[in-house]
Amino acid sequence: MIDLKLLRDNPEAVRTSQRTRGEDPELVDRLLDADRRRRDAIADADAARTAQNAFSKEMGTLMRTASDEERTRLREEGRRKAEALKEIEAVQAEAEAAVNDLQMQLSNVVEEGAPAGGEDDYVVLEHVGEPTTFDFEPKDHVDLGESLGLIDIKRGSKVAGARFYFLTGDGALLQLGMLQLAAQKARAAGFTLMIPPVLVRPEIMSGTGFLGAHADEIYRLEEDDLYLVGTSEVALAGYHSDEIIDLSDGPVRYAGWSSCFRREAGSYGKDTRGILRVHQFDKLEMFVYCRPEDAAAQHRALLEMEKEMLSAVEVPYRVIDVAGGDLGSSAARKFDTEAWVPTQQTYRELTSTSNCTTFQARRLKTRYRDADGRTQTAATVNGTLATTRWLVAILENNQQADGSVVVPEALRPFVGKDVLEPVR
């Protein structure tokens, strides 16, 4: 949730953010009104409590010398004041609930410089490498995966339904090697490796901002009231919920390796072939807790790590600055890296890195102590360092005319081969 002080001090900045996202700026004014009512209710309740305390003190003195009739009157007056205070406190609780509800509806304030618009209004920041060309008709990753014995979609669908698959043989080794390489790079950069839970409580899922407009993308176990994560960002964000963390030595960095689950409820008919858009995949996610003033620099640092990893697996890619309407509620700024997919003749997303500023930590009550010892809300930043869909770009960009695929040099120690040969 956003900082109410920012809302009060600069409401126009929040309205501008809402317009950049394509969301309702009137929500800002509704929250401002609710906040005023809440503060008035708090003042009324404080005044009523002060008055009641003063009366109780005075009543204690008067009761010692009062007649029976006067004592009865004093007790009745005390009862009326107590009931009146309860009513005022109920108004305060209702006002605070209204503020919290509206605050939870309001997306994070978009960072200055992010493009406005929707999914197609991104800005390309750079290209790395040239789109791969061939002097033969390239195969897509499905045909390559099947002929090389790497991917079995038919049996995945038989076992679990559409958008499921098996990674088999060298396909499993290719993914494990890619994730292992990412884990090594993360550890070398000072990240603590984590294998987090893939099931989380509702307050953790909500705290990260994933139970808003896209809640239908999440798998829920109703009987247990738990959610399957779509990214280990969720569990890592909850790791320090309701805690005061030590940032005196700089940011705290984690890298979470987990399976992830998405319903893909809004993608009917999109990317039904292959493993670009699936219900289950593996991912190594970087997650950083830092001071708010360090968040933008940490965001750029995660992007540089993603770029380094993409170069290591030898695929051409581009970096885009995601438009406000495509950020998701938690992110103030997001950079995506998109790899060239030869058979589709376009770039497809492989990683995202998001600066969530204090939005998630405020919801999850994650704080730190500043130089003066006062508690402040931390900032969170996240980014993907490797995930299953990378196999699409690796296979397609490194294929040869005979149907084989050259294994990127950085992955050869993990796969045990320089070239993957057709098995059928």
Side-chain angles (χ1 to χ4, degrees):
M1 61 180 68
I2 72 164
D3 185 357
L4 286 176
K5 185 177 185 303
L6 169 65
L7 181 80
R8 297 174 197 133
D9 293 346
N10 197 353
E12 190 52 40
V14 188
R15 294 188 192 98
T16 299
S17 171
Q18 288 290 95
R19 287 189 284 267
T20 298
R21 289 178 172 276
E23 297 178 6
D24 185 6
E26 290 187 7
L27 184 58
V28 175
D29 298 294
R30 289 165 55 198
L31 180 52
L32 282 169
D33 288 342
D35 182 48
R36 280 191 288 268
R37 290 194 297 271
R38 180 184 68 90
R39 285 186 289 162
D40 289 344
I42 291 172
D44 291 344
D46 286 345
R49 276 189 288 270
T50 299
Q52 187 189 39
N53 289 338
F55 175 78
S56 296
K57 186 175 181 180
E58 181 184 13
M59 179 179 168
T61 301
L62 294 174
M63 288 287 279
R64 288 196 289 269
T65 58
S67 64
D68 290 344
E69 183 179 349
E70 182 65 12
R71 287 175 180 171
T72 300
R73 185 191 69 77
L74 288 170
R75 291 192 187 98
E76 181 60 25
E77 185 174 352
R79 185 186 62 78
R80 287 196 301 269
K81 286 184 179 296
E83 290 178 354
L85 177 58
K86 285 183 180 179
E87 291 178 1
I88 293 171
E89 288 177 334
V91 171
Q92 177 187 342
E94 185 178 341
E96 289 177 339
V99 167
N100 184 71
D101 179 61
L102 290 167
Q103 211 174 351
M104 294 290 274
Q105 293 178 42
L106 197 64
S107 298
N108 201 356
V109 177
V110 176
E111 185 179 306
E112 186 177 352
E119 183 179 359
D120 299 323
D121 297 309
Y122 56 83
V123 173
V124 178
L125 299 178
E126 65 174 315
H127 287 86
V128 178
E130 295 294 325
T132 309
T133 58
F134 303 97
D135 57 5
F136 58 90
E137 186 68 28
K139 296 179 179 179
D140 74 2
H141 72 282
V142 177
D143 289 338
L144 288 167
E146 290 176 346
S147 66
L148 297 169
L150 311 178
I151 304 172
D152 193 332
I153 293 172
K154 182 178 179 180
R155 289 187 175 90
S157 297
K158 178 181 72 174
V159 169
R163 298 186 191 268
F164 286 95
Y165 57 93
F166 283 87
L167 292 180
T168 56
D170 290 334
L173 288 174
L174 195 60
Q175 171 167 290
L176 288 171
M178 177 180 62
L179 292 169
Q180 188 73 269
L181 178 64
Q184 290 179 357
K185 288 184 177 293
R187 185 176 63 176
F191 287 75
T192 299
L193 289 173
M194 309 277 273
I195 297 180
V198 297
L199 287 165
V200 299
R201 293 176 171 176
E203 60 268 26
I204 302 300
M205 187 65 79
S206 176
T208 50
F210 286 98
L211 286 185
H214 300 291
D216 60 349
E217 292 291 338
I218 302 168
Y219 286 102
R220 182 187 176 203
L221 281 67
E222 292 189 16
E223 187 171 337
D224 301 292
D225 198 19
L226 293 170
Y227 291 90
L228 279 166
V229 299
T231 168
S232 53
E233 169 195 344
V234 178
L236 296 177
Y239 188 64
H240 287 301
S241 61
D242 291 307
E243 293 182 21
I244 298 174
I245 59 177
D246 184 4
L247 297 179
S248 59
D249 291 330
V252 174
R253 300 181 179 95
Y254 299 111
W257 180 339
S258 75
S259 292
C260 305
F261 306 86
R262 295 183 185 175
R263 294 186 62 239
E264 294 293 348
S267 65
Y268 181 78
K270 296 180 182 177
D271 297 317
T272 55
R273 179 173 169 81
I275 60 171
L276 260 171
R277 196 186 296 268
V278 291
H279 292 310
Q280 178 183 335
F281 53 95
D282 283 2
K283 184 161 67 137
L284 191 91
E285 185 77 3
M286 301 176 289
F287 195 88
V288 178
Y289 292 93
C290 62
R291 298 170 185 266
E293 60 268 28
D294 297 332
Q298 289 297 311
H299 190 204
R300 292 283 181 172
L302 295 194
L303 175 61
E304 289 304 312
M305 288 189 64
E306 291 175 344
K307 290 166 60 179
E308 179 186 336
M309 183 68 187
L310 283 168
S311 295
V313 298
E314 301 175 24
V315 296
Y317 65 93
R318 69 181 183 182
V319 180
I320 67 169
D321 194 350
V322 178
D326 199 31
L327 287 176
S329 65
S330 298
R333 191 79 173 268
K334 181 190 290 186
F335 302 120
D336 284 356
T337 63
E338 300 180 328
W340 178 254
V341 179
T343 60
Q344 297 186 14
Q345 289 292 291
T346 191
Y347 290 91
R348 300 301 303 268
E349 178 196 332
L350 291 195
T351 75
S352 286
T353 178
S354 300
N355 180 3
C356 295
T357 63
T358 59
F359 186 86
Q360 293 177 329
R362 182 167 282 106
R363 288 176 169 224
L364 291 166
K365 299 180 177 61
T366 304
R367 295 148 293 158
Y368 70 98
R369 294 193 187 279
D370 63 20
D372 298 320
R374 295 174 297 186
T375 57
Q376 307 286 353
T377 303
T380 59
V381 186
N382 67 79
T384 302
L385 198 54
T387 188
T388 298
R389 65 162 51 190
W390 286 35
L391 298 181
V392 174
I394 291 171
L395 293 175
E396 292 205 15
N397 282 286
N398 290 286
Q399 64 181 294
Q400 302 186 102
D402 63 358
S404 64
V405 169
V406 176
V407 178
E409 186 174 352
L411 298 181
R412 291 174 190 174
F414 304 102
V415 179
K417 296 179 179 178
D418 294 352
V419 178
L420 303 176
E421 303 282 356
V423 296
R424 57 174 178 266

